[in-house]
Amino acid sequence: MFTFENKTVVVVGGTSGINLGIARCFAKAGANVAVVSRSQEKVDAAVKELKALGANAMGASADVRHFEELVNAMDSFKDRFGEFDVLVSGAAGNFPAKAMDMSANAFASVINIDLLGTFHVMKAAYPHLKKPGASVINISAPQSYIAADFQSHVCSAKAGVDMLTKNLAREWGCEGVRVNSVVPGPIEATEGMNRLAPTKALQDAIIDNVPLGRNGTHEDIGNCCMFLSSQFASYISGVILPVDGAWSLGGYSVSMNAMQNIMSQPKN
Ligand code: NAP
Ligand code: COA
């Protein structure tokens, strides 16, 4: 069991899906947990849930595309919980679309949430990171290193996220701050899977392609984040770590063929 008692953990995008799962894991391990996302309703619900797990929890509504909103959120977390031991940046947007079916604004919306948003999160949190000692984790995606149909925006954005991880692992290493990316594979009960694997046939095709034979869980990702933020990972920085049952080693081909069929159906 990991313990994060008296530690401060900030999870951006931590009000649903995988990121809320990460927040839950740290809450159960005794951390003070702060979450951020756009919807005040989702923030309130997540904070309530984290408190019910016994954690000191707080939240703030902010759009990662707006730097000043994040600065205000981070300042409020620092005032209440002190310097940050762990920062998780996981806000993201995704929809399947061919590059030529996207407006410039559609492409930009994903770049601005995933890539620029990650930069904003890291920059806004930086003054409050514990130095030395903080662990920063960017939640990436296999699209960062596998070209995938209908995902040019996400592939571009997440490749940028992983390069930012490596750059800041170098720049912040001398201050004792570690920066890593965690790359979830197909994770059950998530908005990402709802959007990219909308049919049972596609979900089955994906599981068939996972050597470990199952989808990942929120806990699989949360446990990895706790390990990376623990003393057992004190020499690990600048790593892009897939947590995907070896799925990404096989590429996207099977699920992409099925997705091709879905996307080629006439829309009602
Ligand atoms: P999700 O439930 O939709 O989580 C996204 C979170 O980000 C929500 O809390 C959302 O809340 C917040 N968010 C979105 N846009 C935002 C913005 N502009 N500003 C601030 N917060 C914003 O999705 P998920 O599937 O669990 O994905 C979570 C992370 O895992 C993402 O980084 C995704 O790329 C990565 N991932 C997922 C999978 C998968 O299997 N699902 C696989 C690989 C990687 P609001 O709507 O309130 O803003
Ligand atoms: N195909 C093509 N373009 C699309 C699209 C689709 N399926 N969905 C949205 N767009 C376009 C919109 O038309 C708009 O472009 P326009 O202004 O030229 O018309 C642009 O994308 C932005 O859409 P909008 O809904 O205004 O943006 P938003 O800021 O409210 O939401 C999204 C951002 C689009 C990424 C939205 O899906 C979102 O909020 N996602 C968060 C949750 C999520 O994606 N979770 C999974 C994470 S893996």
Side-chain angles (χ1 to χ4, degrees), residues 13-19 37-39 42 62-65 90-92 113 139-142 158 184-187 190-193:
T15 64
S16 62
I18 291 172
N19 303 316
S37 81
R38 293 167 298 179
S39 153
K42 284 176 72 175
D63 189 319
V64 295
R65 289 168 286 193
I113 298 170
I139 304 302
S140 183
K158 293 288 194 179
I187 305 301
T190 59
E191 184 58 27
M193 285 290 275

Side-chain angles (χ1 to χ4, degrees), residues 106-123:
F107 193 86
S109 69
V110 170
I111 299 291
N112 289 343
I113 298 170
D114 294 24
L115 176 53
L116 185 60
T118 301
F119 175 75
H120 285 162
V121 168
M122 296 175 87
K123 187 172 167 63

Side-chain angles (χ1 to χ4, degrees), residues 190-263:
T190 59
E191 184 58 27
M193 285 290 275
N194 290 344
R195 291 180 182 218
L196 296 182
T199 66
K200 171 96 171 51
L202 189 40
Q203 290 152 19
D204 290 345
I206 289 172
I207 291 178
D208 281 349
N209 250 17
V210 181
L212 288 186
R214 65 170 176 88
N215 281 330
T217 63
H218 296 181
E219 288 74 24
D220 288 325
I221 307 302
N223 288 339
C224 178
C225 291
M226 289 199 293
F227 163 67
L228 281 177
S229 302
S230 75
Q231 63 191 355
F232 301 107
S234 62
Y235 201 51
I236 300 179
S237 192
V239 159
I240 313 302
L241 181 56
V243 183
D244 68 356
W247 172 73
S248 59
L249 296 176
Y252 259 123
S253 53
V254 171
S255 48
M256 280 301 118
N257 288 343
M259 196 67 185
Q260 284 274 9
N261 290 334
I262 291 170
M263 295 294 285

Side-chain angles (χ1 to χ4, degrees), residues 2 4 8-35 46 49-50 53 55 86-91 135-140 158 180-184 187 189-190 217-229 243:
F2 292 106
F4 284 88
T8 297
V9 177
V10 176
V11 185
V12 179
T15 64
S16 62
I18 291 172
N19 303 316
L20 177 55
I22 295 168
R24 265 190 220 111
C25 285
F26 280 107
K28 286 182 193 161
N32 300 324
V33 182
V35 293
E49 187 184 332
L50 295 168
L53 292 173
V86 180
L87 171 70
V88 178
S89 176
S135 160
V136 177
I137 297 173
N138 292 325
I139 304 302
S140 183
K158 293 288 194 179
N180 294 292
S181 281
V182 165
V183 186
I187 305 301
T190 59
T217 63
H218 296 181
E219 288 74 24
D220 288 325
I221 307 302
N223 288 339
C224 178
C225 291
M226 289 199 293
F227 163 67
L228 281 177
S229 302
V243 183

